[in-house]
Amino acid sequence: MMDPGRSLNGTFRTVIAALALCGLAGVTGAQPAAADEAQAKQMFKAMTDYLAGQQAFSFKYDATLDIVTADMMKLGLASSGSLTLQRPDKARMTRTGVADVELTYDGKTVSAIGKHLNVYTKIPLEGSVDDMIDTLRFAYGVEAPAADLLSPNAFAIMMENVTAAKDLGSGVIGGEVCNHLAFRTVDTDWEVWIADGDVPRPCRFTITSRMMAMAPSYTVQISDWKAGKDVAADDFQLQTGDAKEVKIEEMRGLDELAGLLEEGNAK
């Protein structure tokens, strides 16, 4: 019978060899820390500058949101959707998963429909798409996909509390070569994969909490990226059909976690 200790050591050697072949075994010592950190920040800034400079863009996404139940089971809620953003004040977002939600913003009103419940709501709000994203997040607890990356001031906002940054080299997302960067703050770790080449768009974004049990995370993988004239025309009006109008507080289906949290089953 094989000695379990020898078998485990053999596994470790195999993993280390595989990492070495991928160029990752010495990632922390491949270059001076200061240069590594500066390069990571420079590459992230190039991506945020590119996003901020786009008058219009759209993408599809697949997301996984971790929750930890009261009995310490870690679960992942999966959803898919799309985002179309037209600066300064137009947006359409969809998400299908535990909830099936579509939301539009035309510069004056946020409209959202919960298709499973056949209800919709409207919120008067004049301003930019950034005002809309912040209002949904802080007033109603509703997140746009990869919301942290969408602000025109994303670099300044996200670098404010960063304590460490690393350039982890190249990875492959959806068959596309991407630059892999990792950042740490006091309470979170986050990673971003950025398409290599002349269009430094985000390919994947992951944020992990280090202050909660079992370190739950949120990951968004982006595909079908379009920008400028390639973005499909949209009137940014919501079609509600025979849905019933309700107050936003009554739209439990707008937030995938609402029901779970209210029942006390998750953290």
Side-chain angles (χ1 to χ4, degrees):
M1 179 179 294
M2 183 178 293
D3 183 342
R6 293 183 62 186
S7 175
L8 187 59
N9 288 335
T11 300
F12 284 153
R13 286 196 295 272
T14 301
V15 171
I16 291 171
L19 290 175
L21 287 174
C22 294
L24 292 177
V27 68
T28 59
Q31 55 183 318
D36 182 37
E37 183 167 329
Q39 182 167 318
K41 290 182 177 180
Q42 181 179 6
M43 295 173 73
F44 183 67
K45 188 175 190 305
M47 187 207 73
T48 57
D49 285 349
Y50 167 75
L51 289 180
Q54 302 308 303
Q55 189 70 18
F57 59 84
S58 66
F59 59 79
K60 295 178 181 178
Y61 70 91
D62 295 292
T64 302
L65 173 66
D66 288 346
I67 63 169
V68 180
T69 66
D71 58 355
M72 301 304 290
M73 178 179 287
K74 191 173 183 179
L75 305 173
L77 301 180
S79 61
S80 295
S82 63
L83 170 71
T84 299
L85 185 149
Q86 182 177 302
R87 290 190 171 98
D89 58 2
K90 303 288 190 298
R92 181 183 297 273
M93 297 182 285
T94 68
R95 185 181 72 239
T96 302
V98 175
D100 188 352
V101 176
E102 184 172 3
L103 181 149
T104 62
Y105 181 56
D106 63 4
K108 295 181 179 180
T109 304
V110 177
S111 304
I113 185 168
K115 297 181 180 179
H116 288 337
L117 300 177
N118 199 33
V119 296
Y120 74 95
T121 192
K122 293 190 175 184
I123 308 166
L125 177 63
E126 293 197 24
S128 67
V129 290
D130 304 301
D131 296 325
M132 181 270 293
I133 289 171
D134 285 346
T135 298
L136 289 177
R137 168 182 274 183
F138 297 116
Y140 302 106
V142 178
E143 293 278 348
D148 295 295
L149 305 180
L150 301 181
S151 168
N153 301 313
F155 181 80
I157 294 170
M158 297 185 70
M159 288 297 111
E160 183 176 3
N161 297 315
V162 165
T163 59
K166 294 184 180 297
D167 173 8
L168 299 179
S170 298
V172 178
I173 305 293
E176 183 173 8
V177 176
C178 302
N179 297 304
H180 182 190
L181 310 177
F183 299 86
R184 167 160 284 188
T185 70
V186 172
D187 54 5
T188 61
D189 291 334
W190 54 276
E191 300 169 81
V192 62
W193 288 256
I194 301 171
D196 193 27
D198 297 333
V199 182
R201 64 173 183 81
C203 300
R204 179 186 288 170
F205 176 62
T206 295
I207 183 167
T208 302
S209 171
R210 294 191 291 110
M211 305 301 288
M212 297 179 66
M214 298 177 69
S217 64
Y218 170 67
T219 295
V220 177
Q221 184 159 319
I222 292 171
S223 61
D224 196 23
W225 176 269
K226 293 182 173 60
K229 295 180 180 178
D230 293 333
V231 178
D234 196 323
D235 62 6
F236 300 99
Q237 299 300 307
L238 186 68
Q239 301 301 315
T240 59
D242 61 354
K244 176 186 177 182
E245 184 171 7
V246 297
K247 296 180 179 180
I248 189 170
E249 293 81 6
E250 300 176 63
M251 286 191 64
R252 296 179 60 197
L254 195 60
D255 180 359
E256 291 189 324
L257 278 177
L260 292 170
L261 292 174
E262 287 169 8
E263 293 168 9
N265 292 331
K267 296 182 180 180

